[in-house]
Amino acid sequence: MGCPANPGNEYDEKKLQEQQETQQDIDHSKLLPIPAPPHHSYFGLLGHSPDLDSTLPVKSYWKFMDEYAPIYQLDLAMEHPRVFVGSRELVNEMADDSTYIKFTHRLHQEMRPVFGDGLFSAESTDKAWWKAHRLLVPAFGPIGLSKMFDDMQDLSAQLVLKWDRFGPEHEIECIEDMARLTFDTIGLCAFGYRFNEFYSKEPHPFMKQLKESIVESGKRANRPDIVNLAYYRDEQHRRDNIKNMRELCMKIIKDRDEHPKPDAKDLLNVMLNGVDKETGEKLGVDNVIYQIPTLLGGGYETTGATLCFIYYFLCNNPEKLAKAQQEVDQIVGDKVLTYDMLRNLKYLDACMKEALRLQHPVSLLTRFAIKDTVLGGKYFIKKGQMVSGIWRHFHRDPKVWGEDADEFRPERMLDVNFKELPPNSWKPFGDGLRACIGRGFAEQEILIHIAMALQKFDVEKVDPNYEMQLTGQMGVKPVNFKIRVRRRADRSLNVGIPGGARQEQEKARQTQQQAQHLHQDGVSATYEVKKPVSVFFGGNMGTSESLVQALERSAPTYGLELIDNQDLDTATKNKTLPTDRPTVIIIPSYEGRPPDNAKKFVSWIEQLASKGERLPPGTKFAVFGVGNSDWTHTFHKVPKLVDQTLEQLGAERIMKAGFANVKRDLIGPWESWSEKLCMTLSGITNPTNPDRVGVDVRIEKNNLTTLPQALGGEQMAVGVVTANRELADTSVGASKRHVEVRLPAGSEYKSGDYLIVQGRNPDETVFRVMKRFDLGAEDVMTVQSSKKEFIPSQPMAVEHFLRSGVELAQPITKRQLATLASWAKEASAECTQLEKMHDDTEYQQLLDKRYSVIDILEEVPSLPLPFGVYIDLLLPLSPRLYSISSSPIESINKSKGCPVVSLTFDLFEEPAKSGHGTFRGVASSYLANRVPGDCIPCLVRPTKVPFRLPPDTKTPVIMLAAGTGIAPMRAFIQERATIKRAGERKLGPALLFFGCRHPDKDFLYRAELAAWEREGVVEVIPCFSKPDGASKGQHVPDALWEHRERVWELFLEGANVYTCGSAARLGSSSAAMWRRIYGEKMGKSEVEAYEWLDRIKNERYISDVW
């Protein structure tokens, strides 16, 4: 069960084994058989599968539960009969992790061709699942959701305006519009991609393809394997749909890769660029491709159906509808809905909860027994047997919900009543490790839409006599449910509709004015000696870490210094807390359990308390707890436990514990508590306070000759360029350079590692900025106050700062546009011009053409933007990563006793798409223009994936590369050549498939490769895509297929496969070809080939792609 990627996060494997081995002493004579309905088809040869409703399988489950409640079992071609339960009491027993746990099962397996190793279908033991879980769960926390609010509101506003335009007689097919809304919302908030569902008659093809793929997968899961063979046409259609979906996913990723959006608030940046803290690895493009349909499929239909159910129950209960609308009028009125208003819509939230109770959009809550056990005191459950709770029944259990359990009564879900519910009475989002991570996302999206609709319209059913009809395989949704909306008499067209660019610009202008007001002559208080504080945190969602970061920014203004910032398990691995400084603990509670990185800490203090031990004198602490009030029985359980236990252990409580409810308000309670904490620790009641837009810069003329060097990010070393040469004929593509760098003495690297290079902004761009702000080459800047580390606090030449400190060519963001517009005079031409750029269509064109801030400023030359505001808008200049193309054991790669690395790279240099000058790569143009003897800032970074030659040199090696992707392969081959010449170890065979355009123009390192081939170090198979004459072009995957007999033979002999090149081209196409070869050689299906390649990735199939 353990996750190989993170021993601290998996279900405790030893504990699980003990639980499995410690069986109950079961007296079978006192047990009752679990009832089962009789077979009605094929004499029971195919089990109960043919007896299930083919259109709505869950309808059969409901029917059987009505007849056999509270438990029955079905023969569904599994190892054991599948058990179904329908009471809260039995579901509560299922929630016991010591007896039952959630595994993937047949449905997940059938979904794997659609969702791959995405979060839904990957095993919990899969390294890819853990990496994605750790990266994505924090993005769905309160901070992340607050950032998504504007985009969610934008799309709900589009739907509200559409309904208004169609008028009060228009019949709205509820599920169609709700599905379009939720699909578009996930697309925009998760991937920054607009499907524009409200601007086309038919749904986007991706929606149709995804829906059909999910439905067919659900059908396959409910059919025996032998029956599925007869549905080969349906399976081929499913595969075609999957292929088309992958193409769009790759396009979305490619667009983001080619047009980065560093300020985007969506999840795509996290998935593509986020690095898992436990493994040091990214998700990889292939995994991101699967996460896109996973997030869409897991959210759009369920949330869309839930919205329909809410409308259905509200329309059927006019008094409840009126009450919900009254609350919206009180909280929102005729204003634009804001994020802070959501937490006050308590009755609307109760309506949502009650609708989810009465009609859940999914059918079953499933777990597996991890040992033989007894359920309900009388039903035997075998180890490995699947047990499913039927939501429709246990959510209507009259023992919990009363005799009116079938009625829509939101009042039972209000805080006071909700908290009194027995455990596991209401579980619409699942539980445990594989609970729905998008819960907060769905709830926020639902509340936004319903609030905006009720603010604007009166709603009614088209057919007053309509009764709910359902359809669905994996989930359920209403059929033929139509509503009408009529604009309320006191509501105008634009009531509740966000104000767009003008609203953002006004916010920016007000913020700027506040900043100027807060600033007092550039003087801020300083504290010569800061008081040290330790801050330890726990959390799976990233929320606690965000609070730590906030405290890091505010503490210095109180004379405090956070000198120790770690997760709780790491901080207390030595079983102690600091005694020479206070400790602040920020910790949440997850269903009554500590977060993954605080489990050991909580266990440690509980053990101390059970033994009656005490912490050393001088231990001082303060606790801040984060929780969600929906978990009524465990709300803030862990923070309270920590607070009470530390006091019991003799530690001194600095101040009363603080608590925040992420369901209502996270930031408000935190700000109040942390401010009081800082004042308590420091004794300061009037701190300096200047968070503001822009920084104050004083420009001095010609008075500094010595320029300090500032390198942001990691601690850089200084390398010396020893060689720089062109490798290819530029008539067939970009310039390709070979640069050699002598590293400082004591530096080390291995084949497969990277060199980080801190580039420089090109002269042309730097001079454009200086010209725009009327700055001279020798002018010196002094920044009065800034909390950004990359903005220098000491005097620095302006030119040096612009060249080496900040990103000048990054595409402009909407927030930056709004700030620029805030400096334009009201109703001026500049204001109009910038407002127009803020429009979605216009802004997309700016991104497509990679307009930077300086590009925009040159198009609005009279905008009076101060230089201090401009530089405060910019990001720090990031270093770039290059694969090293040399081996450290080759003697020629040493100079003056120091190691020498070589780099092989493309030079990015072309006319700017914006029309403003020439676009030059920050690092590639910098490196290309270095000459021998030049110093460059650089740093070796070890590879995080096992991109290394096999330890056993006899292991065969297969290498796939294209263009400058030859870099690490050259290092490997050079290393093999050195080993062969030494004669001490034997080499296994090595194949290199190398993609170039032309044999005479860009066959990189041709002479070296030929020499190594003659030595028997490697066999090179060149693949020329654009050869002269009648020769047919060939790419690496084509050659791989052509030589499949040879490569498969090597693979069976234990070969490792290495790939380096473009992920979208070489990486994807080569992986597809390997799956094809495996399918042919092993007689396996495409699905099995996918699973095979997933299993060997990062073990025998290792990629270094970009």
Side-chain angles (χ1 to χ4, degrees), residues 539-558:
N540 301 340
M541 305 285 288
T543 304
S544 297
E545 286 185 80
S546 70
L547 299 183
V548 174
Q549 292 167 6
L551 189 60
E552 283 182 320
R553 290 191 295 269
S554 61
T557 63
Y558 291 88

Side-chain angles (χ1 to χ4, degrees), residues 91-97 100-102 365-367 391 394 424 426-437 439 591 593 631:
V91 168
N92 189 50
E93 289 190 34
M94 282 173 54
D96 181 2
D97 287 340
Y100 298 91
I101 198 166
K102 189 165 184 176
L365 177 68
T366 299
R367 285 188 152 211
W391 261 302
F394 77 78
N424 297 305
W426 186 80
K427 296 174 71 69
F429 295 95
D431 63 1
L433 194 62
R434 294 186 74 101
C436 174
I437 68 170
R439 172 181 178 171
E591 299 183 54
R593 301 167 185 150
W631 306 109

Side-chain angles (χ1 to χ4, degrees), residues 702-724:
N702 307 325
N703 67 342
L704 191 67
T705 56
T706 303
L707 306 179
Q709 187 176 30
L711 293 174
E714 299 181 65
Q715 184 62 48
M716 292 283 179
V718 176
V720 179
V721 174
T722 59
N724 186 345

Side-chain angles (χ1 to χ4, degrees), residues 86-197:
S87 70
R88 198 284 313 178
E89 183 180 5
L90 296 182
V91 168
N92 189 50
E93 289 190 34
M94 282 173 54
D96 181 2
D97 287 340
S98 67
T99 309
Y100 298 91
I101 198 166
K102 189 165 184 176
F103 295 121
T104 55
H105 50 84
R106 182 177 174 85
L107 176 62
H108 299 83
Q109 293 160 5
E110 291 294 346
M111 290 289 177
R112 195 164 177 89
V114 184
F115 299 135
D117 56 359
L119 280 172
F120 177 79
S121 51
E123 294 283 355
S124 302
T125 54
D126 192 329
K127 181 180 178 181
W129 187 90
W130 277 99
K131 287 197 298 182
H133 194 262
R134 285 190 292 261
L135 283 171
L136 288 176
V137 167
F140 284 110
I143 303 297
L145 291 176
S146 68
K147 295 177 181 178
M148 297 179 191
F149 176 85
D150 290 345
D151 285 339
M152 288 185 178
Q153 187 181 44
D154 172 20
L155 292 166
S156 279
Q158 290 183 27
L159 182 56
V160 167
L161 289 171
K162 172 190 170 184
W163 285 356
D164 206 4
R165 286 196 302 271
F166 282 178
E169 300 306 316
H170 176 65
E171 296 184 359
I172 299 167
E173 181 65 60
C174 201
I175 189 59
E176 181 177 328
D177 273 9
M178 295 302 100
R180 289 182 180 224
L181 170 66
T182 54
F183 197 80
D184 237 355
T185 300
I186 297 172
L188 183 59
C189 293
F191 322 117
Y193 187 86
R194 288 187 181 269
F195 288 99
N196 288 323
E197 290 290 346

Side-chain angles (χ1 to χ4, degrees), residues 252-290:
I252 291 172
I253 293 170
K254 182 180 178 183
D255 287 348
R256 179 60 57 89
D257 182 51
E258 293 178 350
H259 308 289
K261 299 179 181 178
D263 291 338
K265 301 172 185 176
D266 57 37
L267 303 181
L268 191 57
N269 276 353
V270 175
M271 292 192 291
L272 289 176
N273 305 318
V275 177
D276 174 38
K277 291 184 178 180
E278 297 296 331
T279 63
E281 298 172 358
K282 295 184 178 182
L283 292 186
V285 172
D286 282 348
N287 184 263
V288 177
I289 288 174
Y290 282 127

